[in-house]
Structure formats: C-alpha cells, structure tokens
Amino acid sequence: MGQNASRYNQEELAEFQDLTYFTKREVLHVHKRFCALSPEKAKAERNPVLTKPEILSLPELAANPFNERILDVFSQTGDGRMNFEEFLDMMSQFSSKAPLNTKIDIAFRIYDFNDDGEICEKDLEKVVLFLIQPSVTGGNLSTEDRQKVVNNVIREMDMDDDGTISYLDFKHGMSKLNGFEESFKITL
C-alpha cells in the first residue's frame, strides 16, 4: 500500500477494528481498495471524499441493482458521496462476518425508499423494478403483474395487517428466508 499504509496509526486502526467486523489487516485492505477508486484524491488528501460514480466503479458494487440506493443509505450526506469511514462501515456491514440482524437492518433501510420507517406499497414497487431492471435484463412485468407481486409480499410479511411492512415484520420474514444472508454480502 506504500504511502497509504502509514495514513492511520495503530490507535486509529484499533478503533476501526473495534467499530467494524474487520481485523486491522482487513481494514488496511479496504483502505487500499478505497484509495484505488480515486488515486489522485488519495494522494492529495488524508481523508478524501469520493463521488458516487467513483465508488460505483468498484466492480462488487457495480453489479448490484441497488448500488446507488446502497450508497445513499450509507452516505452521511445522503447523496452517495463517502469518505473512508463511511465506505469502511458499508463494507463491514456487507461482509461475511456481519451477523444476520445487521444484514436485515441494511436491507430494510435500502428497501425503505421514502425513509419513513416502514416498507409501503410504493417502496415495494421500486424494489420490484430494481430487481427486474427491464433496461438491463430485457425482462418486464406488466403493471398488473408487478402489483400482484407487491400484494403477495405484503400479504406474506405484514403480520399486523396494516398494509405496510414494519421493521419487525421484515425481520421476521427475512430471518426465515434461506440464502438471504449470502445475498447481502460484498467480498473484497
């Protein structure tokens, strides 16, 4: 990592280790990947802020249909720009070491597009559109079929029959879904 290896002292690395699911070595690896996204900024600034397009150049994120929404959720400014600490937090929560409850929390925040603390019909419509991505996959569902999917998801997950999916509803549903944990993982 050259000059970037000494950017953080042992105390800072220990703090990063305490606040994430990573070892110090893994923190340094994540830092190396972060710096590689914008080498010029990494050389010029101690704690550069990368733009959404710079971060989306990470292949592991580029392939995710929710990539921009993920960045918005983890960005303190809400616009996808991130410094290293935000990037590290995101990568830690998507790591294979993150517990199921952490992954459920991430998924809920990503799917709650209007940030109102519940997943409503409009949020689910967006989730379905993100998943089928007609412009990418060539696949498409009619408006009627999309509505059927949304209604089925709400019927299956809405335990209190209020027409929305609360965090508890979501947590209950996701904890029973096989393979969910693996689908919310980014390996660097």
Side-chain angles (χ1 to χ4, degrees):
M1 198 152 59
Q3 75 185 58
N4 291 334
S6 62
R7 184 166 294 185
Y8 296 106
N9 62 40
Q10 288 300 313
E11 187 176 305
E12 290 169 315
L13 287 172
E15 186 175 344
F16 287 146
Q17 182 177 340
D18 289 345
L19 295 173
T20 66
Y21 301 106
F22 291 135
T23 64
K24 289 179 188 178
R25 182 182 174 126
E26 290 167 329
V27 168
L28 289 172
H29 178 71
V30 173
H31 186 260
K32 180 179 180 180
R33 293 293 304 270
F34 177 80
C35 291
L37 297 173
S38 182
E40 308 80 31
K41 284 184 183 178
K43 287 179 184 172
E45 304 170 41
R46 184 178 195 279
N47 193 17
V49 174
L50 302 188
T51 64
K52 186 183 278 190
E54 289 169 330
I55 298 167
L56 289 176
S57 69
L58 186 71
E60 294 86 351
L61 272 176
N64 190 312
F66 294 94
N67 56 16
E68 290 192 26
R69 177 65 182 152
I70 291 167
L71 297 188
D72 292 345
V73 165
F74 281 95
S75 166
Q76 289 181 1
T77 57
D79 62 2
R81 292 180 300 134
M82 290 186 185
N83 63 23
F84 174 64
E85 290 179 26
E86 293 164 306
F87 184 80
L88 180 65
D89 180 44
M90 176 182 70
M91 298 312 292
S92 173
Q93 291 188 48
F94 273 101
S95 76
S96 59
K97 295 179 181 180
L100 177 61
N101 283 339
T102 297
K103 293 184 182 295
I104 289 171
D105 181 56
I106 294 168
F108 186 84
R109 289 169 46 208
I110 291 167
Y111 298 160
D112 180 15
F113 282 89
N114 61 8
D115 298 318
D116 65 353
E118 59 189 18
I119 298 173
C120 64
E121 192 172 311
K122 288 200 181 297
D123 292 327
L124 282 174
E125 288 171 9
K126 287 184 180 182
V127 169
V128 170
L129 284 172
F130 272 68
L131 290 173
I132 62 170
Q133 287 191 14
S135 63
V136 175
T137 65
N140 202 354
L141 289 176
S142 69
T143 303
E144 183 180 312
D145 287 341
R146 285 194 310 265
Q147 191 60 49
K148 285 179 184 176
V149 170
V150 167
N151 291 342
N152 286 339
V153 171
I154 290 175
R155 187 175 50 254
E156 289 294 320
M157 294 186 78
D158 180 17
M159 297 187 312
D160 56 3
D161 293 323
D162 66 353
T164 63
I165 301 170
S166 69
Y167 177 76
L168 291 176
D169 294 338
F170 188 78
K171 183 176 179 179
H172 177 76
M174 292 296 104
S175 65
K176 294 181 176 194
L177 189 62
N178 285 336
F180 169 75
E181 225 170 330
E182 282 298 308
S183 68
F184 270 77
K185 181 174 79 173
I186 297 174
T187 304
L188 289 180

